[in-house]
Amino acid sequence: MPPLKFEEIESFLDVDLILVNLISGWDVDLDFMQKLRMTYNGLIALDIHSLTLERLSDGTRCLKPVKDIHSWLDCADIIQLNEHEFEIISNGAAHPKIFFMQTCVQTDKIINLTKGADGSESYRINNGRCEVIRNSANKAIKVIDPIGCGDTFFAVFGINYIRTKDVQLSAVRANTLAAVAGSIAGSADSATLRNQICLYTREDV
């Protein structure tokens, strides 16, 4: 599929939050993101994800440096990436707090660094300062299929943050539901997921 054109989503911008999940890596281009940033007044969340991957001629994916990464980061209010993706965009040269202060200090942002079984770290940059919020994974949940855990974290964090404006609460819930998503092999029916969510969060869905 070719990248989305901005004109294709322009009539759908009357929302509080837009989640941009770069699943293929070419879902949208930088021009799209910059137009979105200029036009849209709500929160933009960006999952770096496959922006750090290139596709070889045989279809194999491998890690690659990201051109204009600062410009990509400028377009979002909430950014998500995992440790491998952070290593790529930072060239392995800086501690996350130092890197994000250098690249994101001009605008207030939340950066979620997901760490799998080690939970996550949220970097909240506000008024030129960076607060680090660490959250452990839910050890009571056994993850057997990690595919889709990051996508779940991304959506759950965004939805909870837009409702509560509480970074830590949103990250705790995102960690828990990401683990729930990974506790079932393959895809699961909605009833099973609801039961699992209620079991581990004690919340009705």
Side-chain angles (χ1 to χ4, degrees):
M1 295 291 292
L4 272 173
K5 296 179 181 178
F6 183 74
E7 295 74 22
E8 294 177 298
I9 61 96
E10 201 167 3
S11 60
F12 302 101
L13 299 183
D14 186 21
V15 293
D16 298 317
L17 170 70
I18 292 178
L19 301 170
V20 181
N21 192 350
L22 296 175
I23 294 173
S24 69
W26 57 84
D27 316 74
V28 297
D29 57 24
L30 181 56
D31 182 60
F32 175 103
M33 289 299 299
Q34 289 173 332
K35 285 182 181 177
L36 181 63
R37 176 77 287 172
M38 291 175 58
T39 306
Y40 176 64
N41 294 320
L43 289 178
I44 299 172
L46 175 68
D47 188 344
I48 297 293
H49 205 27
S50 291
L51 191 64
T52 59
L53 293 175
E54 67 176 326
R55 184 175 61 177
L56 303 181
S57 58
D58 64 356
T60 303
R61 306 301 298 271
C62 62
L63 293 168
K64 66 164 186 177
V66 181
K67 184 180 178 182
D68 299 321
I69 186 59
H70 292 204
S71 298
W72 281 93
L73 298 180
D74 282 344
C75 294
D77 305 291
I78 301 170
I79 298 159
Q80 180 173 312
L81 69 171
N82 64 32
E83 293 175 290
H84 295 300
E85 292 154 5
F86 171 73
E87 201 173 313
I88 292 298
I89 69 168
S90 67
N91 292 319
H95 183 277
K97 182 175 180 179
I98 297 172
F99 176 79
F100 294 132
M101 282 293 288
Q102 291 172 341
T103 56
C104 302
V105 74
Q106 299 300 323
T107 55
D108 293 349
K109 289 192 190 303
I110 298 164
I111 302 103
N112 289 317
L113 181 63
T114 58
K115 307 179 79 172
D118 293 323
S120 66
E121 292 177 350
S122 297
Y123 297 82
R124 178 165 53 189
I125 298 175
N126 184 264
N127 292 325
R129 296 184 178 184
C130 183
E131 176 187 6
V132 183
I133 303 168
R134 294 181 174 87
N135 293 287
S136 300
N138 190 323
K139 300 297 185 182
I141 308 171
K142 183 180 180 181
V143 174
I144 59 175
D145 184 358
I147 295 174
C149 290
D151 302 323
T152 302
F153 185 105
F154 186 51
V156 173
F157 183 91
I159 291 168
N160 278 275
Y161 184 75
I162 202 70
R163 289 173 175 170
T164 68
K165 297 297 187 290
D166 186 322
V167 174
Q168 185 155 34
L169 175 63
S170 301
V172 167
R173 289 178 172 173
N175 272 313
T176 297
L177 293 207
V180 167
S183 69
I184 302 168
S187 59
D189 61 87
S190 59
T192 300
L193 281 175
R194 284 175 182 271
N195 290 337
Q196 291 288 90
I197 291 169
C198 292
L199 173 64
Y200 290 112
T201 66
R202 301 183 184 278
E203 296 179 11
D204 205 359
V205 180

